[in-house]
Amino acid sequence: MVGRRECLSVMRMHRRKDDPREAAAEPGREETVKLSDAASFLLDECRMVLPGIQALFGFQMIAVFNQRFYADLTHGEQVLHFLSLTLVAIAVALIMTPAVYHRTEGVREVSERFLRNSTRLLVASMVPLGLGLCLDYYLLGRLVLGSPWAALPAAGLLGVFTFFWMVFPRSRALKEMLDRIPPGRAEREPH
């Protein structure tokens, strides 16, 4: 069960830089959080991603009403834009599902099953989002560059998304390598 006071206390996730508890933090140190805190963090992460996806979806819808859409894109490229729009709509559905799931499973209860399934939905939403972004990036590149070679930067962007959204979060070796990098001057000096 999650009480109202407990829910309000987890809304503040970040500590101030001058917080003395921050000095004790060590690279690679892990901390276990309560299920209610983990659920709050997860739902906050979904809320952070959603506005960007919604804005993208809106711009994709408006593009169809632009004269260049019909004048400069082939029918196949217009279909590609529709596919991109569909992928972003799927991402919206996936990213909003944890909130609906939480409301229907029980607002006052949080389970490991909820966290596991909601985390999977959040991560899964990145696949259609990344593909949709790359397809539209290709179409924009095709209009700007006037060449089908715009597929190369789009493929590069897909590689960037794949690395940062799929490979890096799962790679312990990459995380440990970053932990060995000494902190910059701004991180060492108190503010």
Side-chain angles (χ1 to χ4, degrees):
M1 292 271 187
V2 179
R4 180 183 169 155
R5 184 174 297 170
E6 185 179 356
C7 283
L8 294 175
S9 69
V10 297
M11 295 304 275
R12 184 151 192 262
M13 295 182 352
H14 303 285
R15 295 181 180 149
R16 295 185 332 257
K17 290 186 181 195
D18 61 339
D19 189 329
R21 293 174 290 184
E22 284 297 311
E26 302 168 15
R29 184 174 147 243
E30 294 181 11
E31 189 175 298
T32 304
V33 296
K34 296 186 303 184
L35 285 175
S36 59
D37 292 346
S40 179
F41 297 155
L42 179 98
L43 292 172
D44 284 345
E45 291 161 357
C46 291
R47 280 191 285 269
M48 286 172 41
V49 173
L50 186 59
I53 296 175
Q54 288 174 318
L56 171 66
F57 189 72
F59 284 119
Q60 284 181 303
M61 299 276 288
I62 291 171
V64 176
F65 299 105
N66 187 323
Q67 182 62 32
R68 282 197 77 189
F69 183 81
Y70 293 101
D72 295 345
L73 294 179
T74 66
H75 177 70
E77 290 169 335
Q78 293 170 9
V79 171
L80 203 59
H81 178 74
F82 182 74
L83 176 62
S84 174
L85 183 70
T86 303
L87 289 167
V88 173
I90 291 169
V92 168
L94 289 170
I95 202 78
M96 292 179 75
T97 301
V100 175
Y101 184 26
H102 184 246
R103 287 289 163 190
T104 57
E105 281 288 304
V107 179
R108 300 185 59 78
E109 297 176 5
V110 176
S111 66
E112 286 187 31
R113 181 185 54 163
F114 164 75
L115 287 172
R116 182 180 56 251
N117 292 337
S118 295
T119 298
R120 287 177 180 160
L121 288 164
L122 173 62
V123 172
S125 72
M126 297 296 111
V127 174
L129 176 62
L131 290 172
L133 281 167
C134 290
L135 288 175
D136 267 352
Y137 187 73
Y138 161 74
L139 292 173
L140 179 64
R142 227 284 285 131
L143 289 175
V144 171
L145 301 174
S147 166
W149 287 101
L152 291 177
L157 184 61
L158 182 61
V160 168
F161 287 150
T162 301
F163 177 78
F164 284 109
W165 291 352
M166 302 299 163
V167 175
F168 175 72
R170 290 172 174 79
S171 173
R172 183 175 301 273
L174 286 172
K175 291 177 199 171
E176 289 172 359
M177 183 181 71
L178 286 176
D179 284 343
R180 286 192 298 267
I181 296 173
R185 192 174 120 201
E187 293 176 35
R188 287 187 299 237
E189 294 178 4
H191 294 274

